[in-house]
Amino acid sequence: MGYKKPIPVEINKIVIGEKYYTCSYSGTISVIILKIFKDTNSVLVKINSKKKESNPFVRHMNYIFDNPEMAKSANRDWEHDERKRKKEQKKKQKEKV
């Protein structure tokens, strides 16, 4: 059995207030969609947890899944994109100073 590319949920099929899955450094997490930003192709999400309250954060549509197994297999790509994004942020901050 080979690698199966994870397929994110289409932006048209996302329902606000429903539970979806995304990647994190600690693995797959369950999130609730709060708002959709169609111009930037991203969504505002909040972690779906009754134990601990969390702040909402923005996640790109490429990493929103309706299946936890798909989110698990996309974790490596997500981590790569996060490292790249943070590196570019540091570079921009140094250029400003």
Side-chain angles (χ1 to χ4, degrees):
M1 189 170 178
Y3 175 74
K4 191 173 183 182
K5 186 176 179 180
I7 303 167
V9 178
E10 294 179 25
I11 197 164
N12 302 331
K13 295 183 179 179
I14 289 185
V15 179
I16 295 177
E18 289 293 314
K19 183 170 103 173
Y20 293 95
Y21 301 94
T22 190
C23 311
S24 75
Y25 287 113
S26 60
T28 302
I29 57 173
S30 174
V31 294
I32 295 174
I33 305 293
L34 300 176
K35 188 174 181 181
I36 300 172
F37 304 109
K38 291 189 178 186
D39 55 336
T40 59
N41 206 20
S42 57
V43 292
L44 182 68
V45 297
K46 181 179 160 189
I47 296 176
N48 183 21
S49 175
K50 293 179 181 175
K51 294 180 183 177
K52 186 177 179 184
E53 190 66 28
S54 68
N55 294 331
F57 56 95
V58 176
R59 185 59 47 103
H60 196 271
M61 285 300 307
N62 290 344
Y63 302 108
I64 301 294
F65 303 94
D66 54 0
N67 181 352
E69 291 300 317
M70 292 284 186
K72 186 177 178 181
S73 61
N75 203 1
R76 175 180 260 177
D77 293 335
W78 175 80
E79 285 181 0
H80 173 73
D81 288 346
E82 280 294 300
R83 283 192 298 272
K84 185 177 177 182
R85 183 184 64 81
K86 288 180 181 180
K87 189 175 182 181
E88 288 173 357
Q89 265 185 340
K90 284 183 182 180
K91 190 175 182 180
K92 285 182 183 179
Q93 286 179 349
K94 285 183 180 180
E95 289 175 357
K96 283 184 178 180
V97 174

